[in-house]
Amino acid sequence: MSLFWQCLVDSLLLGGLYSLMSIGLSLGFGVTRIINFAHGEMIMFGAYGAYFGSVLLGVDPLLSLPLVAILVAVTAAVVFKALIEKVLDAPHINQILLLFGISLALQNVAAILWTGDARSVSTPYSLTAFEFETLLVPHGRVIAFATAVVLIVALFCWLRFSELGRATRAVAENGQAATLMGINVSRMYMLSFGINAALGAATGAISAFLLTITPFMGFHMLIKAFAIVVLGGLGSVTGTILGAFALAFAETWVSYYVPEGNGWAEGVAFVVLLCVLIIRPKGILGQAVAVH
Amino acid sequence: MTTLLNVEGLRAGYQDSIVLQDISLSVNQGEVVALLGANGSGKTTTMRALTGLIRPFGGKITFAGQDLLAVEPHKRVDLGIALCPEGRQVFPNISVEENLFLGSFCKRSRPDRKQTLDSVYSLFPKLAERREQKAGLMSGGEQQMLAVGRALMSKPTMLLLDEPSLGLSPKMVQILFGAIGQVARSGISILLVEQNAQAAFAVASRGYAISMGRVTASGTITELTKSGALQSSFLGSHQPAATA
Amino acid sequence: MKARIAIFLVLGVAVILLPLIAPPVMNNMILRVGSLVMLAISWNLAANAGLISLGHSAFWGLGSYAALLVANKLGWPFFASLIPAMIVGAISAAAIAVITGRLKGIFFAISMLALSECLRVIAVMTPGFTGGGAGVFIDQALRPSTQTVAMVTAFCAVACGFIAYWISLTPFHYACRAMRNNESAAEMLGINPLRFRIAVLSLSGAMASLAGGVNIWYSGFLDPMIGFDLHVTILAQIAPILGGIHTLAGPIIGAFATIGLSEATRILLGEQGVSLLVYGLILVFSILYMPKGIVGTWNTWVQYRSRGAASAKVGTTKAAPL
């Protein structure tokens, strides 16, 4: 029974992190209709930012998070303007390969700058935990979860109530009509790509004290984020959160209840992804996507 | 009467196909002008060129003395020109009220959007009833009201209406054109694209008949109906209207 | 036409016989280029039908494992082991074609990426069967000489080239092009998209698996990281993009260019990360400034020159009456 509760708590906490990890990808796609294959690298840069903030300046990852997120977002917006904007009307193949190329280049820039060595950040809350009888809840994970929730709620409020948030939703629904409203669509694209990057970097900053940091950490997170976004329905931000928790539950259950589950859990995302594509390619809440 | 919108020798189209050969027209301050013609004659393309959704190949467009082609599409709303596009194009998953707020996104209209909203609601009481509903869940007529209301939210000096009667019941057309007449009386200039000439004549004072991307006739509504220019325009005749 | 085929045949035979006369150090190079030619042709075939694979390492790895397993468990020799490698590649490709159904573009790309990762996890987690994460050596007693492997690679690469050439002569080629541009229009022409997708992908998968199967006999060692290496996926797409996507010669020229570039960066800069960085930059550069690749850019240039000459002629005839 205690295993059950431990599993439940773990999946909830992981679900929060997964939501943050994939929500930017979902938003970015919803607005620009471009899948950001470099999303994983934004997470990676966020993690390195937090790492260097912690190691060189002694700043806690949570404190360096806003600055790191803004830096990565600005860089991403520049990359968008300089490179990605040119393929907005190009065939999908060009978009996919361009983003894939950017991702590859960023990964290896990091590998050259900072070597392939695995790193980790230790914080006062890295190794401590709440204990309720047999239940063990690490502080780090709780803090990560709380941060994710705060950021996601902030994103939702921004989308729901701010002028630019509303404009973002309008652009996602109908770019031409948005232009008629006086909305600068290409700037909104840049903005949403920047937010996508900022959320990715924030995920990275949080994972800095949960996971090991390597230049190639982004790739695995990217595939998981894909699985989540496809599961929730491409472009649906609410669906993405459902997808994140679904994947977190599935992975945690496999790692607890299947023999050698830790290794198999790594594959859950792919199985989920393939299953969704077979059974319901729209995802949980998505609209029709088969066209593209 | 001062000229608000002036179009001269406009040529436009898509990629390699030219739709507009040579369109010249003008709309004066406070005037309602109808742009009439059959399907494919170039009415919608004219509207798209005016709002910058397509870039014309040639010609001149001036609005309130300003060269409109030099203004980026999204900045044209700020000048006071608003389009209610063909097929409504409301934002389907966004509530009615938010759709209207989006209409007043531009800086010029944002400060007094509350008052504008009230006036739109009094023009279309149905929208006030449905303010919380998602726009996509409304009937075609209500969506058309929303589209007109949304365009009005930017407090335009010139309203472009592209086939507002398309696919609506006769009763709905009547309600809608009643509202359009009201808008016209408030002093907003209107360029109205219509296939439903009957409805257009109810509000317009002048008209242009276009066919195959050219203006084939122009004049007051009475002149146009008498000369038979409209019939030839709708039948797609290549003859200049004067000889018809 | 016949003369062309004859030239191809002579060239092909020359390439296959190359390992016999080339110095042994060249075998490695022949093997790398040959494998990449196969991968690139295979990737380009799928791309021709509008299917962008971001997981060609899946087929490569399956081929490698199939060849290794039939050799180690059943004692099959080199040549025989390549047949199951191809079959496994074809079947798994057909399966993914059915699974992804009508999903094009992004979804197919992501599915392939996921498939390759999924297979890697499976290979790690089933050590009894695949040797697991520790990897496994192929039965040394069965291994042919490096020269033989190089010759077979060259032969397979030439064969893949011929198949691609042959396809370009059949209506199949037009069907692919129709599907790439507009699937529903293709359907109206009487093309069954699913059947074509299965056919194209099976062929593509078989080629990539064959390349993987041959390679395992050269390297002799396999683990999941090598088998389902992202590197393979990247190379498989870079070569056709650089050479010229949707063309016949593009993947082949691209394979040579890619290996050349990779060697050049290795010699000049040394580090492994640098070559991957260069691949990334090539992708970005090619897509933005040379989307038709070397072949496409060359063709445009030739056309431009001949048209320039033609228009110059028109100009003179026009000018004459004045």
Side-chain angles (χ1 to χ4, degrees), chain B residues 13-148:
Chain B
Y14 307 89
Q15 276 155 13
D16 346 281
S17 67
I18 297 178
V19 181
L20 302 183
Q21 304 283 357
D22 176 16
I23 297 281
S24 297
L25 55 86
S26 68
V27 180
N28 295 326
Q29 202 95 51
E31 199 182 21
V32 179
V33 175
L35 197 57
L36 305 150
N39 250 341
S41 57
K43 298 170 308 224
T44 296
T45 310
T46 310
M47 294 303 211
R48 292 171 73 86
L50 288 177
T51 46
L53 293 182
I54 56 166
R55 174 168 277 284
F57 303 141
K60 266 203 240 165
I61 306 177
T62 46
F63 179 75
Q66 202 169 354
D67 177 14
L68 205 56
L69 293 179
V71 181
E72 280 179 87
H74 67 269
K75 288 189 178 147
R76 295 187 190 182
V77 193
D78 254 321
L79 297 178
I81 188 163
L83 170 67
C84 167
E86 187 188 26
R88 300 158 200 134
Q89 312 279 334
V90 296
F91 301 108
N93 293 313
I94 294 179
S95 76
V96 169
E97 189 150 291
E98 283 197 292
N99 261 279
L100 291 171
F101 277 140
L102 279 162
S104 60
F105 180 84
C106 70
K107 286 200 184 70
R108 188 175 46 82
S109 56
R110 225 184 274 180
D112 31 39
R113 57 164 41 155
K114 283 266 156 29
Q115 285 146 291
T116 327
L117 186 69
D118 287 339
S119 66
V120 168
Y121 278 156
S122 65
L123 189 64
F124 299 112
K126 199 89 192 173
L127 295 182
E129 283 170 35
R130 298 276 162 107
R131 60 171 68 179
E132 293 298 328
Q133 192 165 21
K134 279 187 181 175
L137 299 176
M138 297 199 302
S139 75
E142 289 163 348
Q143 287 191 23
Q144 188 63 61
M145 288 177 183
L146 178 59
V148 174

Side-chain angles (χ1 to χ4, degrees), chain A residues 125-205:
Chain A
Y125 44 83
S126 293
L127 296 169
T128 54
F130 297 111
E131 283 175 51
F132 307 99
E133 294 175 27
T134 55
L135 204 64
L136 201 73
V137 188
H139 287 158
R141 287 186 167 262
V142 175
I143 291 171
F145 179 80
T147 315
V149 169
V150 167
L151 288 172
I152 289 167
V153 168
L155 176 73
F156 267 84
C157 288
W158 181 79
L159 279 174
R160 184 77 188 78
F161 301 112
S162 77
E163 193 72 34
L164 281 177
R166 190 189 288 139
T168 305
R169 281 183 288 146
V171 172
E173 293 207 358
N174 187 337
Q176 284 212 338
T179 307
L180 292 175
M181 303 298 109
I183 297 167
N184 185 344
V185 171
S186 82
R187 193 167 300 164
M188 295 311 293
Y189 278 179
M190 219 167 84
L191 179 68
S192 61
F193 197 76
I195 290 172
N196 167 350
L199 292 167
T203 311

Side-chain angles (χ1 to χ4, degrees), chain C residues 154-166:
Chain C
F155 173 79
C156 292
V158 170
C160 288
F162 265 107
I163 292 173
Y165 177 63
W166 173 72

Side-chain angles (χ1 to χ4, degrees), chain C residues 34-35 37-46 56 59-60 63 85-87 89-90 93 156-165 167 200-214:
Chain C
S35 309
V37 166
M38 290 159 80
L39 272 176
I41 290 175
S42 147
W43 191 90
N44 193 49
L45 263 181
H56 248 55
F59 301 135
W60 170 278
M86 275 193 285
I87 291 173
C156 292
V158 170
C160 288
F162 265 107
I163 292 173
Y165 177 63
I167 286 175
V200 168
L201 264 187
S202 312
L203 190 57
S204 169
M207 283 181 182
S209 291
L210 179 61
V214 174

